[in-house]
Amino acid sequence: MNRVIDRGAVVAAYVGMGMALVIGVSFLLVIPIEPIFWIAALPAGLLIGYYADQRSDRRAGPWPRIVVNGLFAGAVTGLTMAVLLLGVKALFFAADDGYRDPGLGGPIVCDMGADCVYQRYREGQDAALVDAGVTDATSFSAFYWGQQWASARLVLIVTIVGGLGGALLYGVARPRSPGAPREPSPAA
């Protein structure tokens, strides 16, 4: 593995996993604003793609190696973000028991899990669900998980693209080897 991917990129991938965990806990559990989680995928990929080559100290060397380092770290980070997204969604999907604040009308009468989530969606989006062919908890489950898988794929792809972008930014701006000729400064 070290012949294709630098050791620093492997370390960066672990850092990316930690970063994905922090982003996931922050914006899926603590302050549940899922669109921020989606938006954070691009800067997370950029940072980790750049960091993979910085950590590898890629001052000189072939561009393909720089790109592979960034893609690898971005892919691991993106995969972690996608798994976290699906895991949190599965947890809340399976554990929904219909509880609702008394000020919002009290609990929803439903069977725990898919039926309760379906009833919640029906309250705000019934016409859209009917238009999508959703008529019961079973068809809702297929519809819901189709959307969640699409979101997870999007997060994965955007993070990988960010990793590539970070690697390219590093390749352009990287520090040069100590013996490499330097351009004269404008003050000289």
Side-chain angles (χ1 to χ4, degrees):
M1 187 170 191
N2 287 341
R3 294 182 185 264
V4 176
I5 300 165
D6 290 331
R7 182 169 296 207
V10 173
V11 172
Y14 284 115
V15 171
M17 292 169 71
M19 182 172 53
L21 183 61
V22 169
I23 294 169
V25 168
S26 298
F27 297 112
L28 295 175
L29 293 173
V30 176
I31 305 171
I33 306 172
E34 191 176 333
I36 293 177
F37 180 79
W38 301 334
I39 292 167
L42 183 61
L46 285 167
L47 284 170
I48 211 63
Y50 190 95
Y51 181 66
D53 289 306
Q54 178 69 36
R55 179 76 184 181
S56 299
D57 199 24
R58 278 270 141 211
R59 293 176 181 264
W63 270 93
R65 187 76 169 245
I66 291 170
V67 169
V68 167
N69 285 341
L71 284 173
F72 173 74
V76 171
T77 303
L79 186 60
T80 304
M81 289 182 76
V83 167
L84 285 168
L85 176 66
L86 292 172
V88 168
K89 292 295 188 168
L91 174 69
F92 284 104
F93 190 83
D96 192 343
D97 65 355
Y99 176 79
R100 190 168 49 180
D101 287 333
L104 297 175
I108 298 170
V109 178
C110 57
D111 293 328
M112 185 175 192
D115 186 46
C116 288
V117 178
Y118 173 55
Q119 298 303 328
R120 285 183 197 281
Y121 272 66
R122 282 188 62 199
E123 287 180 355
Q125 305 172 21
D126 196 32
L129 290 174
V130 170
D131 290 344
V134 175
T135 57
D136 59 2
T138 303
S139 60
F140 173 76
S141 292
F143 173 76
Y144 178 86
W145 286 110
Q147 287 184 325
Q148 301 316 312
W149 279 102
S151 293
R153 281 191 301 272
L154 179 66
V155 166
L156 174 63
I157 290 167
V158 168
T159 309
I160 291 171
V161 168
L164 173 63
L168 294 175
L169 285 172
Y170 180 83
V172 170
R174 65 186 160 172
R176 303 294 174 218
S177 298
R182 301 187 140 219
E183 293 183 28
S185 67

